[in-house]
Amino acid sequence: MTERPPIAAIIALGLTQIIGYGTLYYSFSILAPGMSRDLGWPPEAVFGALSAALLIGGFTAPALGKWIDRFGAGRIMTVGSAIAAAALTACALVPGRISFVVALIGIEIASNLVQYGAAFALLVQIRPQAAQRSITYLTLIGGFASTIFWPITTMLHAEMSWQQVYLVFAGLNLLICLPIHAVLSRKMRCNRERSGKASPAKRVEGTLAASARRTGFVLMALSFSLQSLVSSAILVHMVPVLSGLGLGATAALVGTFFGPSQVLSRFTNMLFGGNLPPLKLAIIAAMLMAAAVFLLIPTAPSVVGAIAFAVVFGLGNGLFSIVTGTLPLMLFGSDGYGKLQGRVMAARLIVSATAPFALAYMMGAIGVVWSLALTSAAGGLAVLVLAAIGRLATNVYASEMKAGEAASAT
């Protein structure tokens, strides 16, 4: 009998993901102008500080992944909520630029502890055999983070300084997210204590053979990094890219189609994609993202073409969030899942931190069209790398079958 997803835990985690992404990630772009003014920095310096913090957060991700396996994702997320509240408070009260950057680093480290990577690991630890569906449900809920927190942050910032907004957000992490994570952690420990003696813990076996796992991990990390490059570069520069292609004031309007498309793709996958293997879903996500970027080149400055780009890119990016959790589970199993997520997260965060600068440099050096072509090519390369994972699994399986037949014949 198929295990049922832990619905209550998914809903609770969904709330913390909306708050976690909303307060620690999506709010920054809205509050950045105020930070720039108060710190006496140009806007690019503020975003440069964020990129530096993302890089440092990426380097800490592997260690955080090991802690998730050792101490449990629930405990780590509880501590992460406390760090998030402290870092947001520190960022609001900093006296100068250096302390501001240090606080930003704290925010990025906290993000690794409370956002999707840790939440996926918690769902795997709670109920491994239902984790793929659980991750899909969670990303559906978490997809509303930008839709909810962009207007909330804007409304709050109209009445408050960015420092006061961050203090409010610190309270949300401390008073809502921390208790939820603590309760989930305690329930998971209690469930393990009750069932540990009665039956062995359930686990998910990976589909990749042991001999292929090193190569498989390198290929998976490479494909995720390429997709993160495309996603991060385009999302940061979406409005400037569209404006540079001649869309003018309609560029911002086109961008509003992205968020709903993300949620639509996750909802569609939840309803109809239950039997679709994560590797195929990953290939579809990469194809959609690459095709969306390429679509801008022949259609610009058509508004219809730009809307089609935003919708298709949103569909692909929405699916990408799912497969970052489900594909590692399918390929490598539930054992050591937290450590695996930490290593993959490190590669993705490092690329995500540098991608916006890389695209900005290319647009200045070779123009928007050629920059889009190269970005789309990176997405296409991700498709080929994912296909190579499928071939790797097939070849290893065929080799093992032949070896088994040879041993039987002798």
Side-chain angles (χ1 to χ4, degrees):
M1 183 178 178
T2 304
E3 267 194 316
R4 295 180 59 187
I7 299 300
I10 292 170
I11 293 173
L13 273 177
L15 176 59
T16 70
Q17 292 306 289
I18 288 174
I19 294 174
Y21 275 97
T23 61
L24 302 175
Y25 181 71
Y26 287 115
S27 65
F28 188 86
S29 61
I30 297 172
L31 302 177
M35 297 173 180
S36 173
R37 182 183 61 252
D38 290 348
L39 292 169
W41 270 355
E44 55 268 25
V46 174
F47 282 98
L50 176 64
S51 293
L54 281 168
L55 277 173
I56 294 173
F59 289 127
T60 65
L64 301 180
K66 292 179 183 179
W67 295 346
I68 286 172
D69 284 335
R70 181 177 179 181
F71 301 109
R75 287 179 176 176
I76 295 301
M77 295 186 79
T78 303
V79 173
S81 294
I83 295 175
L88 287 167
T89 301
C91 202
L93 302 178
V94 290
R97 297 173 179 178
I98 295 177
S99 51
F100 173 79
V101 174
V102 172
L104 273 187
I105 293 171
I107 288 175
E108 294 310 321
I109 292 174
S111 297
N112 292 341
L113 295 174
V114 300
Q115 290 176 350
Y116 275 153
F120 292 163
L122 180 55
L123 292 175
V124 170
Q125 291 173 358
I126 291 174
R127 204 162 293 174
Q129 294 179 337
Q132 288 194 12
R133 282 186 296 156
S134 300
I135 288 170
T136 300
Y137 298 160
L138 179 64
T139 57
L140 176 64
I141 300 172
F144 289 98
S146 60
T147 306
I148 292 172
F149 266 86
W150 273 337
I152 285 179
T153 305
T154 301
M155 287 188 295
L156 288 175
H157 196 31
E159 303 295 331
M160 305 176 179
S161 66
W162 67 268
Q163 294 95 331
Q164 292 170 324
V165 174
Y166 260 7
L167 290 175
V168 171
F169 288 169
L172 293 178
N173 281 275
L174 187 65
L175 300 177
I176 298 178
C177 296
L178 189 150
I180 289 175
H181 294 152
V183 169
L184 290 174
S185 177
R186 185 166 59 250
K187 285 188 175 181
M188 189 175 70
R189 291 199 304 271
C190 292
N191 290 339
R192 283 184 173 179
E193 290 172 0
R194 284 197 298 266
S195 61
K197 297 180 180 179
S199 60
K202 294 180 180 179
R203 54 199 293 271
V204 173
E205 295 287 348
T207 57
L208 274 184
S211 59
R213 291 198 168 189
R214 182 183 295 272
T215 303
F217 174 80
V218 172
L219 291 173
M220 184 184 70
L222 176 59
S223 68
F224 282 176
S225 296
L226 288 168
Q227 287 175 270
S228 293
L229 184 152
V230 176
S231 176
S232 178
I234 293 299
L235 287 179
V236 170
H237 293 289
M238 184 178 290
V239 174
V241 164
L242 294 174
S243 298
L245 291 172
L247 273 85
T250 60
L253 177 63
V254 169
T256 62
F257 287 86
F258 169 78
S261 299
Q262 278 199 122
V263 175
L264 176 63
S265 68
R266 294 168 184 172
F267 184 70
T268 302
N269 180 68
M270 183 184 72
L271 292 180
F272 305 110
N275 296 323
L276 190 65
L279 183 57
K280 290 185 178 179
L281 192 66
I283 291 174
I284 292 171
M287 291 176 65
L288 287 171
M289 293 169 70
V293 176
F294 184 80
L295 186 63
L296 279 174
I297 298 174
T299 60
S302 166
V303 175
V304 173
I307 291 175
F309 147 76
V311 170
V312 175
F313 194 77
L315 293 173
N317 203 68
L319 296 179
F320 177 51
S321 298
I322 297 173
V323 298
T324 56
T326 59
L327 185 59
L329 181 63
M330 183 202 81
L331 295 177
F332 304 100
S334 57
D335 291 346
Y337 181 84
K339 177 182 178 181
L340 189 70
Q341 275 285 0
R343 292 167 64 192
V344 173
M345 194 186 308
R348 290 183 56 207
L349 286 173
I350 291 169
V351 171
S352 297
T354 56
F357 285 101
L359 182 58
Y361 175 80
M362 286 195 300
M363 287 192 295
I366 60 177
V368 175
V369 172
W370 279 106
S371 299
L372 289 175
L374 290 176
T375 305
S376 178
L381 182 58
V383 175
L384 297 178
V385 173
L386 289 166
I389 295 175
R391 288 196 298 271
L392 174 68
T394 302
N395 292 339
V396 170
Y397 177 76
S399 299
E400 290 181 347
M401 288 295 292
K402 288 180 180 179
E405 291 173 358
S408 300
T410 57

